[in-house]
Amino acid sequence: MALTGPPAAGWLTVSLMKSANRVEPLPGLVGHFAERFGREPTIVTRAPGRIEFVGNHTDYNGGTVLGAAIDRAVWVAYAPRTDGRRRFASERGPQIVERKAGDLTRGEGDESWINYPLGVLAALPEFSLPVPEGFDYLVGADLPPGSGLSSSAALELASGLAFLEATGTATPREVLVKVGRHAENHFVGVPCGILDQGVSGFGQARHLVFIDCRGPRFATVPFPANAHLWIFNTHTKHALVDGLYAQRHAECMAAARGLGVELLADIPLAALPERIAAARPPLPEKVEKRARHIVGEIARVDACVVALRAGDVPAVGLLLTASHRSSQHLFENSTPELDFLVDTLIARRGVYGARLSGGGFGGSMMALTDDIFGPADAAEVAAAYRARFGADPEVLHALAADGAQRVR
Ligand code: GLA
């Protein structure tokens, strides 16, 4: 089990476009950039991963969601070139992938990660933003990829911020977030909502990010004092995860059409039974379940905000576990591994609630705990998981951290 504790110091709040030099680049990144490219980077940016706190698949249905940026991130080191060559490198491999300015040919296989920065370069003109010509680029991360913690959104935002800084463009945080989502939707090809990019962009230390996805409108809500976030990454991923996400998206849109609304967020929870009964033709059972999950989940997010503001952490925990049950039985995007972790965790002392986090079909889950739940408890949960599934989950005690920023 890779058990990681929180770092000694929390992140400092730094406004997006200011080079405050107060958060250090990922250790080794600047030196590795110099080794690969023969000079120092002029810009280093950082964008965090995220945990979905509550609001499962509500974002693209126009609903509300709560997330937290975590103290694990993606960093991009960057220096401009004058010859129009764009050279992309990653700390994860020795290759340098090269494209000429203007050439957006997608990367394949081991090189497919460049589709995230390429997608951002392709998105910038859509927002009337300038595009940098040539550059050297090195990405590094302490955020595990493919773990349901949104390393892809973090990569999009760290890249987008580096490109904007390189062209001296001051842009509101919201635009950076939209550029990242545009890259994901149109270049990478995943029909995701605004959650991942919004939380990576608007994160704030010791706060949750609230998003009303219809606006979108972003706000922060203080994270409860003395409460803790524990993340368990199952390292499992359904083989068809991207297709299943798209299928859920399509089922939600079919539910909205069948109920005569543009998006499921248009239906208040109290009106749902009547709307379902009146639907002609009747909704197929599966589609009805998706609608019940989404409309109920939006109500849970809103109830969670009320409970957080009232300092009622036990009530927040119950809402988190109720969210998991809804994902498990109505949205049907949980797995035996995630259900096992939720069931094991909520039976322990000090756990307020637990749920799957993110798209589902594998990936990570989270628990909200109080002080009496510590590393020894997490290790026991991991041991129970290993006894059942024969593999170790990765465990992370995460802090709510600041959003995307330039660090050099
Ligand atoms: C993934 C997507 C998000 C959101 C969640 C589910 O993380 O990228 O936009 O839909 O799944 O809530």
Side-chain angles (χ1 to χ4, degrees):
M1 181 182 63
L3 185 65
T4 21
W11 298 107
L12 298 162
T13 306
V14 182
S15 85
L16 181 60
M17 294 300 164
K18 277 194 200 124
S19 171
N21 277 332
R22 283 189 288 172
V23 176
E24 292 300 316
L26 182 68
L29 186 71
V30 168
H32 295 152
F33 187 98
E35 281 163 25
R36 298 248 190 140
F37 297 117
R39 62 202 172 119
E40 294 250 314
T42 53
I43 294 169
V44 180
T45 57
R46 160 196 169 276
R50 67 96 189 91
I51 188 88
E52 176 194 280
F53 189 77
V54 69
N56 196 228
H57 288 253
T58 53
D59 60 354
Y60 56 81
N61 287 292
T64 49
V65 60
L66 277 168
I70 60 169
D71 52 329
R72 292 299 190 97
V74 170
W75 279 260
V76 167
Y78 177 104
R81 298 179 62 92
T82 52
D83 59 3
R85 292 161 73 196
R86 292 174 174 164
R87 300 199 296 168
F88 298 91
S90 159
E91 293 270 48
R92 291 186 196 278
Q95 309 92 332
I96 293 183
V97 189
E98 187 159 336
R99 296 282 183 276
K100 286 202 182 64
D103 176 3
L104 297 175
T105 306
R106 282 176 166 72
E108 307 280 345
D110 283 355
E111 298 180 353
S112 57
W113 67 270
I114 69 158
N115 296 334
Y116 296 97
L118 285 181
V120 170
L121 291 165
L124 290 168
E126 304 291 326
F127 294 83
S128 305
L129 292 167
V131 182
E133 294 284 313
F135 53 76
D136 292 330
Y137 168 114
L138 176 66
V139 64
D142 64 2
L143 178 66
S147 55
L149 299 175
S150 281
S151 56
S152 55
L155 177 52
E156 287 152 6
L157 265 69
S159 302
L161 186 53
F163 299 151
L164 290 169
E165 291 287 319
T167 54
T169 313
T171 308
R173 204 170 277 252
E174 186 174 333
V175 176
L176 174 66
V177 164
K178 288 181 173 170
V179 165
R181 182 185 176 196
H182 194 280
E184 185 87 36
N185 289 168
H186 299 284
F187 200 86
V188 180
V190 178
C192 69
I194 196 84
L195 165 69
D196 305 343
Q197 292 81 9
V199 173
S200 186
F202 280 87
Q204 192 184 332
R206 293 174 291 282
H207 285 73
L208 295 165
V209 179
F210 170 84
I211 310 176
D212 181 343
C213 303
R214 185 74 79 117
R217 190 172 63 80
F218 302 90
T220 53
V221 182
F223 192 80
N226 305 323
H228 296 262
L229 272 182
W230 288 86
I231 300 169
F232 290 76
N233 175 10
T234 64
H235 289 294
T236 59
K237 191 174 169 183
H238 197 292
L240 301 173
V241 66
D242 291 343
L244 288 166
Y245 184 92
Q247 192 189 80
R248 290 297 179 278
H249 184 283
E251 288 163 356
C252 289
M253 298 307 138
R257 270 195 311 279
L259 294 169
V261 290
E262 188 202 347
L263 291 169
L264 286 172
D266 292 328
I267 305 176
L269 181 60
L272 185 64
E274 202 181 306
R275 298 293 282 264
I276 289 175
R280 291 293 172 271
L283 296 186
E285 190 194 339
K286 202 166 57 178
V287 172
E288 179 190 322
K289 281 167 128 183
R290 309 301 184 240
R292 284 169 50 211
H293 166 75
I294 297 297
V295 175
E297 186 74 352
I298 294 169
R300 273 186 290 277
V301 174
D302 298 341
C304 227
V305 173
V306 172
L308 284 163
R309 293 215 183 278
D312 189 351
V313 190
V316 172
L318 291 175
L319 287 160
L320 299 184
T321 306
S323 162
H324 182 78
R325 297 301 175 215
S326 181
S327 298
Q328 181 181 357
H329 301 299
L330 295 177
F331 213 63
E332 299 175 295
N333 62 336
S334 189
T335 61
E337 289 87 351
L338 294 167
D339 295 339
F340 177 86
L341 284 168
V342 168
D343 294 342
T344 307
L345 276 153
I346 61 170
R348 294 190 73 95
R349 252 167 28 104
V351 177
Y352 291 114
R355 61 183 293 277
L356 69 80
S357 177
F361 308 109
S364 291
M365 58 78 66
M366 56 151 270
L368 183 71
T369 73
D370 75 9
D371 284 332
I372 64 169
F373 184 95
D377 299 273
E380 279 179 33
V381 173
Y385 182 93
R386 189 186 320 116
R388 171 82 167 73
F389 295 105
D392 283 320
E394 186 179 18
V395 184
L396 179 68
H397 182 188
L399 294 180
D402 282 330
Q405 62 202 142
R406 179 173 180 176
V407 301
R408 175 197 254 240

